Amino acid sequence: MSNFPWLTTIIFLPLLASAAIPFIPDPDGKGRPIRWYALVVGLIDFTLMVYAFCTQYDFGNPGLQLVESYNWIPQIGLKWSVGADGISMPLILMTGFITTLATLAAWPVTFKSRLFYFLILAMYGGQIAVFAAQDMLVFFLVWELELIPVYLLLAIWGGYKRQYAATKFILYTALSSLFILVAGLAMAFYGDTVTFDMRELGLKDYSLGFEMLVYAGLLISYGVKLPIVPLHTWLPDAHGEATAPVHMLLAGILLKMGGYALIRMNVEMLPAAHAKFAPALVILGVVNIIYAALTSYAQRNLKRKIAYSSISHMGFVLIGISTFTDLGISGAVLQMVSHGLIGASLFFLVGATYDRTHTLVLEEMGGVAQKMPKIFAMFTACSLASLALPGMSGFVAELMVFVGFATSDAYSLPFRIIVVILAAIGVILTPIYLLSMLREIFYGPENKELTSHEALVDAEPREIFIIACLLIPIIGIGLYPKILTQIYDATTVKLTSRIRESVPTLVQRDHPNPVANLPFQAATVDQAPRLGQS
Amino acid sequence: MLAVKADGRIVLMDNSTETIAHSMDAQIMEPLYQYAWLIPVLPLATAMVIGLGLISFNQVTNQLRRANAIFVIAGLAAAMAYSLAILWSQYHGHAPYLQTFEWASAGTFHLTMGFTIDHLSALMLTIVTTVALLVMIYTDGYMAHDPGYVRFYAYLSLFSSSMLGLVVSINLVQIYVFWELVGMCSYLLVGFWFDRKSAADAAQKAFVTNRVGDFGLLLGILGLFWATGSFDFQTIGDRLQQLVSSGALSSGVAILLAILVFLGPVAKSAQFPLHVWLPDAMEGPTPISALIHAATMVAAGVFLIARMFPVFSGMPEVMNVIAWTGAFTAFLGASIAITQNDIKKGLAYSTISQLGYMVMAMGVGAYSAGLFHLMTHAYFKAMLFLGSGSVIHGMEGVVGHDPVLAQDMRLMGGLRKYMPLTSLTFLVGCLAISGIPPFAGFWSKDEILGSVFASNPAMWMVGWLTAGITAFYMFRMYFSTFEGSFRGHQTDVRQQLKAAAGEPELAMAFGPGAMDPKELDQDHHHSDSPHESPLTMTLPLLILAVPSLLIGLVGTPFNNYFEAFIHPAGDAIAEVAEVAHEFDWTEFLVMGGSSIGIALIGITLASLMYLQRKLDPGAIAAKIKPLYEFSLHKWYIDDLYNTVFVQGCRRLARQVLEVDYNVVDGVVNLTGFVTMISGEGLKYFESGRVQFYALIVFLAVLGFVIISA
């Protein structure tokens, strides 16, 4: 079985399956068979993924695995080349997981259900292809292809301002992905050999000026996706108008593509430029955290509020990838997975609340907890996860980024102090806006005005199931983070040592002492702590 | 190895006997320690079972009220028995136990977690489990009619689990984890009656204020890790000292880091300037106020200072900051408590004040005195709070389920006749907190004041004065609640109170023990006089009266078992033994006598004003109006924070959002407009857009390669 094209199968299964959707009989026109079909396809694909990674993937191996490479259009050197390493593998798994749950979350969608599920399945394949692609051209193609379903899902099933939001989204991302193409081609044609293979591109010896230019271009395109303030304004609009399942995909997976691509290309392929850009990334990360937290606090629209909170959380990814430490980069990857789960759960709950209250304006809500205590409980749990409560995954990720950055030897001490203090202010701001939100939606005397014309029914089992599915990994990772970190640790460690090699000042300090920058020279790791009192 | 002889003297045992005793001990005791993780896990398991039940079988679970309560109580009782066994074993000299596992790792970084059992954690486990158990029994009576009864037990159990996890934590990160978890439980429990606006506000205020402290704690932890490469208390302490003495780290930085860590306890133990959340947290049901906001969670700050003692004790500047923070808070709390009319708010400020004593004790290096007061305070303050709950419960029968009326002492009075057990236990609590021997509070407070005097007489002055104020406000509380005649029917006072609270008289708010709208309907079943609470409520009160009365005797200065058991890690045993022998009767009599003296003055003053009514409190208040108003308005600290931080933060957030809309997004929309125009223009190129796109890309790539090649 080891030669079986696992990744290709996983990518194409949903795509091929989506082609069959027009032929599924749908007698009553409500799309029941179609949604079951989509769900089953999603599940099968997810199962395949899990099976493939469990049996074919070696966690100790830091390199690419499950590699497949076929000539596609040899004339232009285009190869269908896919693979997975520690950074893409957790994200592929998360994609399968969240997309399947989003399919389940889309249960109430009856409007044009054939098209809807067709697009969802198309997105499924496209997203995985983005994380698996190992060829620059293939990456660009799937990156672009995956935009179309999102655009349509926004433009057809969105809210009142859906056209504006969808147009803004497509303009933003299409324009920015132009930079990927330009940068990718430039890298491919640089030097003597022409290649699109990412590994080979990463091994090319670019001049620093060229690297910086390419890096800047890629940073813009991925900065839009992640998003990095000030390239973020498409996101509140898109998130504000999307329906819950699309919302889950946007927050859970699309944003992670930006983070993933930043690590895969900017950090891994252009380490010399990364060393120059990293301080800027850190500053942008801090701006993300504080700026978005403040805007989220002032925002009166529930969906936009959560959308800004996503931006705020992505700031930690930016800081994490710029730490040049194992811990920081590991934390950045963990933050992506963690926010994927937490963001998806919060957006799903926002959708569930909206289905009942039919308003997103916080002033019109309030006091709905009596009627929907279960939604209240789940909303509270997910908000606490989002504000990085220990015991949940967000805390571990943020802690790793914090410790990683605080002990990073790539920056001067005053810079580190300022950044850590500013980022920690986010720790205060996050509960302010999230708990205020909970208070305004749920707390207070029963809202007679709202209950008089809306039937506020409590969560149904399907909704509880979805949230439970998301909360179990969130809490699992929070209680014992090694569950997740050990499966990608080898890759991030190798990545860190590779990027450290490109920073001359760090190389001399490297090895044998990993925490050489610490004043305490003998410190290596926490040995068995001693205790007083005997 | 330490041993306590039958006559109570502390002696050093011979080394060889120790080894033998030890190895025998190890064989018998090891399983006891290996499974000690069960102590926090048992309550967690019960909480999870009930939580799952509530989510999946809500109706059924909610109907099984008593069954759930018994399940939770049984879980905690098991944990308590276990804790007692461990305390026993530790008392008999078992070596500290440590078990770790690797929790997180990345490359060469490894972070371990686990649990540790030593004297301090054994003591804390016992305090937490015993108080929690009694509070849980009490809850059955107090929350009997509440629809959230089962949920409340689940939260209580979850809290107990987090708190127990906190006290067995082995390093700073693990402390931080449980620190936040107890904060979350506090948030959930303060906001338990989520339909009350004030509860919702209070819950959020508690969480956010604590996050401000955690901000400092987190920075401190990060900084200490940066400096020492460790999260372990002792290692941090040793290495920090080494670094400072070798000059690798300036002492200013070390002090700063230690103070940042201290910010955590400042918030959690409600020390000035982050004390503002605790009085508001009284919006939670009273059992919570007793368990979380008096006995256990708020004491976690003091516990952390104790754990961080190896770090703090080496830096006199830090110790000074700690001591003065405590001293000032002790005075601040007491000065506000004297004018409070809400019985729970009064107790809350008294808690702030007492926590100030503990922190002050820690600051002057009186490690065991601080923890001794933590222990005695846990018992007598839990009893006082539960007593106030019992009073409120009784008052509700008369004034209805309205916290504005049921908790106000101006409507109470003469309750001793109706609630004899409650009043008796409350009196014991008042005597204990006022420091009258032989009640528990006397011994611990006296020990603190003695140590403070030795290190700084000015600070002792503050503590001593505060002791007098404490006695005054506690007996003011006791006399206005239990003595005199019942004032619950004075309609003018009621209307006045309602008006002050901004509610019309008949607007029924929800209150403890009554969330059932049917019960809120009318005053039908209201009786004319308050009634004594049921046995499930009075029994815990009576049980708590025992330690409030007697537990101080384990730490008498002439025979201090407590100090022999609990002392800073570094101190040699011989030293402790020596101190115990050094006991000086004259000094004790002078110190003890002066604190009893001022307490008696306070009590006498209170009885003149509130019992015999020879002095009119109103007239005195009018005479010193500015001071009275200052105290009544809590030194205007809340108002100040509200204007500066709350409003300021809101304004800033709004401004940032404006910028986001108008500037950042404005630019984008403008570009969109320009693109549209140019796109229209492009239509007239007959070559079409596709070619143009390709051309641009091609040129750009060419440019790139040429420029940089």
Side-chain angles (χ1 to χ4, degrees):
Chain A
M1 291 293 272
S2 61
N3 289 326
F4 187 81
W6 282 107
L7 284 172
T8 309
T9 313
I10 290 166
I11 293 167
F12 281 99
L13 177 78
L15 291 174
L16 291 175
S18 69
I21 281 187
F23 309 108
I24 296 171
D26 180 18
D28 57 0
K30 284 184 181 159
R32 281 209 195 92
I34 301 164
R35 68 190 186 194
W36 274 110
Y37 174 75
L39 184 65
V40 169
V41 171
L43 268 177
I44 293 175
D45 209 35
F46 181 61
T47 320
L48 277 179
M49 255 174 240
V50 174
Y51 177 79
F53 286 128
C54 283
T55 56
Q56 310 292 316
Y57 190 91
D58 171 18
F59 297 135
N61 179 349
L64 274 181
Q65 302 180 47
L66 297 160
V67 180
E68 300 158 40
S69 188
Y70 312 100
N71 278 332
W72 192 354
I73 310 175
Q75 288 83 353
I76 56 166
L78 181 60
K79 280 192 287 184
W80 172 260
S81 150
V82 288
D85 64 1
I87 295 166
S88 48
M89 195 267 275
L91 293 169
I92 292 175
L93 276 176
M94 191 182 76
T95 305
F97 186 63
I98 289 182
T99 314
T100 309
L101 282 177
T103 318
L104 188 60
W107 229 233
V109 173
T110 49
F111 177 66
K112 293 193 193 215
S113 50
R114 274 183 210 274
L115 184 58
F116 185 87
Y117 288 104
F118 171 79
L119 293 173
I120 291 268
L121 286 181
M123 240 180 117
Y124 200 143
Q127 288 162 336
I128 297 171
V130 169
F131 292 125
Q134 294 303 325
D135 183 284
M136 201 68 189
L137 272 183
V138 172
F139 177 84
F140 176 73
L141 278 176
V142 288
W143 180 278
E144 292 286 289
L145 273 178
E146 170 276 331
L147 294 182
I148 298 161
V150 181
Y151 171 75
L152 291 173
L153 285 168
L154 270 176
I156 300 175
W157 286 271
Y160 295 116
K161 278 169 70 189
R162 55 181 183 264
Q163 285 303 337
Y164 170 75
T167 311
K168 202 167 176 181
F169 169 78
I170 201 83
L171 275 179
Y172 244 112
T173 38
L175 277 177
S176 64
S177 49
L178 207 59
F179 287 97
I180 307 180
L181 186 62
V182 172
L185 289 176
M187 285 162 74
F189 289 107
Y190 189 92
D192 310 327
T193 49
V194 176
T195 176
F196 290 109
D197 187 274
M198 285 189 193
R199 249 182 309 176
E200 288 172 35
L201 286 178
L203 294 175
K204 276 192 182 179
D205 199 12
Y206 305 105
S207 72
L208 184 64
F210 178 83
E211 258 196 44
M212 300 275 284
L213 268 176
V214 172
Y215 190 102
L218 292 176
L219 184 62
I220 291 176
S221 49
Y222 302 140
V224 166
K225 202 78 164 188
L226 190 62
I228 299 175
V229 175
L231 302 172
H232 65 283
T233 56
W234 65 272
L235 186 133
D237 283 310
H239 280 202
E241 299 306 318
T243 50
V246 181
H247 221 152
M248 289 169 73
L249 295 178
L250 275 174
I253 303 160
L254 255 76
L255 304 190
K256 310 306 167 299
M257 289 183 181
Y260 165 76
L262 268 180
I263 297 181
R264 175 65 79 221
M265 290 175 199
N266 292 35
V267 179
E268 198 174 336
M269 287 157 61
L270 307 163
H274 181 60
K276 303 279 177 208
F277 269 96
L281 284 190
V282 171
I283 293 168
L284 286 172
V286 170
V287 170
N288 255 29
I289 292 172
I290 294 185
Y291 179 91
L294 285 172
T295 41
S296 176
Y297 181 45
Q299 190 52 256
R300 306 308 300 157
N301 176 303
L302 188 53
K303 278 192 177 174
R304 298 176 76 100
K305 203 183 217 357
I306 308 276
Y308 277 109
S309 98
S310 293
I311 304 176
S312 182
H313 285 105
M314 287 298 107
F316 282 99
V317 175
L318 283 176
I319 299 180
I321 59 175
S322 319
T323 54
F324 296 93
T325 59
D326 296 331
L327 198 58
I329 290 184
S330 179
V333 176
L334 188 58
Q335 174 75 344
M336 289 204 280
V337 176
S338 156
H339 181 266
L341 299 167
I342 296 170
S345 63
L346 269 180
F347 279 123
F348 173 68
L349 284 169
V350 169
T353 312
Y354 175 71
D355 286 345
R356 291 161 171 85
T357 59
H358 294 110
T359 177
L360 287 170
V361 184
L362 285 167
E363 276 82 3
E364 293 170 16
M365 295 190 214
V368 301
Q370 276 95 334
K371 285 278 193 281
M372 17 201 250
K374 286 179 191 168
I375 292 203
F376 175 39
M378 294 191 292
F379 219 128
T380 307
C382 296
S383 302
L384 291 173
S386 182
L387 60 80
L389 188 82
M392 309 222 201
S393 56
F395 167 75
V396 187
E398 290 185 13
L399 182 77
M400 286 168 89
V401 172
F402 266 121
V403 178
F405 190 78
T407 55
S408 169
D409 46 0
Y411 302 97
S412 69
L413 185 59
F415 184 71
R416 273 185 280 161
I417 292 175
I418 293 168
V419 167
V420 168
I421 289 178
L422 289 176
I425 288 177
V427 169
I428 305 178
L429 289 175
T430 320
I432 293 182
Y433 68 76
L434 283 170
L435 298 185
S436 296
M437 175 191 79
L438 282 179
R439 183 169 49 84
E440 284 172 298
I441 306 174
F442 293 104
Y443 286 84
E446 196 175 326
N447 189 336
K448 292 280 188 286
E449 200 180 330
L450 199 60
T451 45
S452 64
H453 60 86
E454 301 291 351
L456 300 178
V457 287
D458 205 1
E460 50 180 288
R462 177 184 61 92
E463 292 166 324
I464 295 175
F465 176 76
I466 291 173
I467 290 299
C469 283
L470 290 164
L471 273 178
I472 288 169
I474 291 173
I475 295 176
I477 296 168
L479 290 180
Y480 192 57
K482 277 185 81 179
I483 296 178
L484 183 63
T485 56
Q486 67 192 8
I487 67 176
Y488 66 73
D489 197 44
T491 307
T492 49
V493 168
K494 188 176 148 234
L495 176 63
T496 314
S497 67
R498 172 162 154 63
I499 59 173
R500 286 178 74 91
E501 276 165 25
S502 64
V503 187
T505 50
L506 296 181
V507 178
Q508 318 149 6
R509 287 190 235 164
D510 250 347
H511 303 299
N513 188 349
V515 278
N517 67 317
L518 305 179
F520 196 87
Q521 295 295 320
T524 47
V525 290
D526 251 2
Q527 302 297 341
R530 280 182 288 147
L531 282 158
Q533 299 187 351
S534 52
Chain B
M1 175 52 53
L2 189 75
V4 181
K5 277 201 169 174
D7 61 352
R9 274 192 315 119
I10 299 145
V11 293
L12 282 169
M13 274 168 60
D14 184 290
N15 256 342
S16 56
T17 20
E18 180 200 328
T19 338
I20 296 164
H22 210 203
S23 59
M24 281 173 62
D25 241 19
Q27 281 172 358
I28 306 162
M29 290 302 183
E30 229 44 36
L32 179 71
Y33 284 85
Q34 271 163 12
Y35 292 98
W37 49 266
L38 277 171
I39 297 174
V41 168
L42 274 173
L44 178 70
T46 55
M48 274 177 61
V49 168
I50 294 182
L52 286 176
L54 278 176
I55 282 280
S56 10
F57 308 101
N58 193 293
Q59 300 258 312
V60 184
T61 317
N62 265 325
Q63 274 159 13
L64 295 170
R65 294 165 81 88
R66 272 274 162 79
N68 279 309
I70 290 170
F71 179 55
V72 166
I73 291 173
L76 199 82
M80 184 186 77
Y82 209 132
S83 307
L84 286 172
I86 279 181
L87 181 71
W88 182 254
S89 148
Q90 283 290 312
Y91 184 71
H92 285 277
H94 191 282
Y97 184 85
L98 175 78
Q99 195 166 314
T100 58
F101 67 95
E102 189 177 283
W103 184 67
S105 68
T108 47
F109 172 88
H110 300 274
L111 177 56
T112 51
M113 296 253 171
F115 66 90
T116 176
I117 303 291
D118 55 8
H119 290 187
L120 180 58
S121 54
L123 173 78
M124 291 298 292
L125 284 176
T126 312
I127 297 175
V128 173
T129 47
T130 45
V131 176
L133 184 75
L134 292 170
V135 166
M136 280 180 179
I137 295 171
Y138 177 93
T139 297
D140 175 63
Y142 192 78
M143 302 293 279
H145 305 293
D146 198 295
Y149 179 91
V150 178
R151 182 166 61 100
F152 191 74
Y153 268 104
Y155 286 172
L156 266 183
S157 201
L158 189 63
F159 168 77
S160 312
S161 166
S162 318
M163 188 68 210
L164 293 167
L166 175 71
V167 300
V168 296
S169 294
I170 61 163
N171 59 35
L172 270 175
V173 175
Q174 199 181 349
I175 289 245
Y176 186 83
V177 166
F178 286 106
W179 192 264
E180 289 274 302
L181 287 179
V182 289
M184 172 203 73
C185 295
S186 164
Y187 168 78
L188 293 175
L189 283 160
V190 173
F192 184 77
W193 286 313
F194 49 74
D195 49 359
R196 280 194 207 168
K197 188 183 172 300
S198 51
D201 293 342
Q204 191 182 340
K205 186 173 177 181
F207 196 92
V208 173
T209 316
N210 270 297
R211 265 287 164 112
V212 176
D214 296 347
F215 161 82
L217 180 58
L218 178 68
L219 291 179
I221 294 175
L222 291 175
L224 288 173
F225 182 73
W226 159 77
T228 64
S230 171
F231 292 120
D232 173 51
F233 315 106
Q234 190 68 44
T235 318
I236 293 175
D238 293 349
R239 288 184 185 170
L240 207 60
Q241 246 164 7
Q242 217 171 312
L243 286 170
V244 172
S245 58
S246 70
L249 191 73
S250 84
S251 61
V253 175
I255 290 168
L256 182 73
L257 292 177
I259 288 179
L260 280 172
V261 171
F262 175 59
L263 268 182
V266 167
K268 190 92 8 188
S269 288
Q271 299 295 296
F272 175 82
L274 295 177
H275 64 280
V276 289
W277 65 273
L278 186 61
D280 288 32
M282 295 299 125
E283 286 295 336
T286 308
I288 284 319
S289 314
L291 178 62
I292 300 189
H293 303 122
T296 55
M297 185 186 84
V298 289
V302 181
F303 170 77
L304 178 58
I305 302 176
R307 275 282 186 240
M308 289 296 287
F309 214 67
V311 182
F312 292 157
S313 58
M315 290 181 266
E317 298 85 354
V318 178
M319 293 295 269
N320 261 330
V321 171
I322 295 176
W324 278 110
T325 308
F328 182 72
T329 309
F331 177 72
L332 174 90
S335 72
I336 298 175
I338 41 176
T339 53
Q340 296 303 308
N341 289 312
D342 182 314
I343 187 167
K344 283 182 75 183
K345 287 253 163 91
L347 284 174
Y349 280 105
S350 133
T351 306
I352 292 177
S353 173
Q354 297 297 311
L355 288 165
Y357 273 108
M358 297 174 211
V359 172
M360 176 171 72
M362 287 298 176
V364 298
Y367 179 92
S368 39
L371 289 168
F372 187 32
H373 197 56
L374 188 159
M375 176 175 78
T376 57
H377 176 260
Y379 290 114
F380 65 69
K381 188 49 78 59
M383 185 180 67
L384 283 168
F385 261 113
L386 294 183
S388 79
S390 175
V391 167
I392 295 165
H393 195 75
M395 285 295 289
E396 275 171 350
V398 182
V399 297
H401 299 283
D402 181 350
V404 176
L405 300 177
Q407 302 185 8
D408 201 291
M409 291 189 289
R410 282 168 287 187
L411 283 175
M412 299 175 185
L415 294 182
R416 188 162 54 93
K417 282 198 293 279
Y418 310 105
M419 319 176 75
L421 292 176
T422 306
S423 83
L424 178 72
T425 51
F426 205 90
L427 181 64
V428 170
C430 287
L431 288 167
I433 196 173
S434 305
I436 304 295
F439 294 89
F442 167 75
W443 304 105
S444 50
K445 196 188 273 183
D446 186 61
E447 200 180 335
I448 291 178
L449 287 177
S451 316
V452 171
F453 186 77
S455 91
N456 189 337
M459 200 184 287
W460 171 81
M461 211 38 215
V462 179
W464 180 72
L465 258 177
T466 306
I469 307 177
T470 309
F472 173 76
Y473 70 69
M474 283 316 294
F475 275 87
R476 167 181 178 262
M477 197 178 278
Y478 177 77
F479 292 139
S480 2
T481 308
F482 294 103
E483 301 295 337
S485 56
F486 186 58
R487 299 183 288 273
H489 299 295
Q490 297 181 357
T491 42
D492 52 328
V493 182
R494 279 202 203 189
Q495 268 156 2
Q496 202 185 324
L497 291 177
K498 292 307 287 184
E503 300 168 36
E505 154 91 273
L506 281 173
M508 282 309 207
F510 295 82
M515 290 263 298
D516 192 350
K518 270 175 263 157
E519 285 193 34
L520 294 168
D521 253 2
Q522 264 315 319
D523 304 51
H524 291 154
H525 54 282
H526 283 172
S527 52
D528 281 340
S529 57
H531 56 85
E532 181 61 287
S533 302
L535 182 69
T536 45
M537 288 168 71
T538 47
L539 184 69
L541 286 174
L542 291 171
I543 297 175
L544 279 169
V546 177
S548 303
L549 186 62
L550 298 175
I551 205 155
L553 298 177
V554 304
T556 56
F558 35 86
N559 226 344
N560 204 332
Y561 298 96
F562 189 85
E563 192 161 346
F565 185 63
I566 298 283
H567 51 81
D571 281 14
I573 306 306
E575 208 177 303
V576 177
E578 200 181 315
V579 173
H581 283 293
E582 247 177 36
F583 172 66
D584 180 356
W585 271 103
T586 357
E587 194 194 312
F588 169 68
L589 287 179
V590 172
M591 293 307 299
S594 59
S595 30
I596 297 169
I598 194 154
L600 287 176
I601 295 173
I603 296 173
T604 318
L605 210 58
S607 82
L608 285 175
M609 284 165 76
Y610 297 98
L611 181 65
Q612 301 166 16
R613 304 256 160 209
K614 287 195 178 138
L615 294 172
D616 179 15
I620 298 175
K623 238 180 236 169
I624 46 162
K625 198 162 175 61
L627 279 179
Y628 175 75
E629 291 279 319
F630 195 58
S631 161
L632 190 67
H633 289 103
K634 310 150 191 173
W635 295 35
Y636 297 98
I637 293 171
D638 282 77
D639 306 84
L640 180 75
Y641 287 179
N642 191 36
T643 349
V644 178
F645 298 117
V646 180
Q647 307 294 343
C649 185
R650 268 190 208 147
R651 207 172 309 124
L652 178 68
R654 263 200 304 276
Q655 277 159 356
V656 173
L657 188 67
E658 294 273 300
V659 170
D660 197 58
Y661 268 147
N662 299 330
V663 182
V664 183
D665 208 25
V667 171
V668 172
N669 282 336
L670 192 70
T671 15
F673 184 68
V674 173
T675 331
M676 206 180 74
I677 301 283
S678 51
E680 288 294 303
L682 280 178
K683 271 192 188 166
Y684 301 102
F685 276 88
E686 62 269 83
S687 51
R689 267 177 270 179
V690 182
Q691 280 97 330
F692 187 72
Y693 184 87
L695 188 68
I696 297 256
V697 170
F698 179 71
L699 286 178
V701 172
L702 210 64
F704 255 90
V705 176
I706 291 169
I707 292 167
S708 34

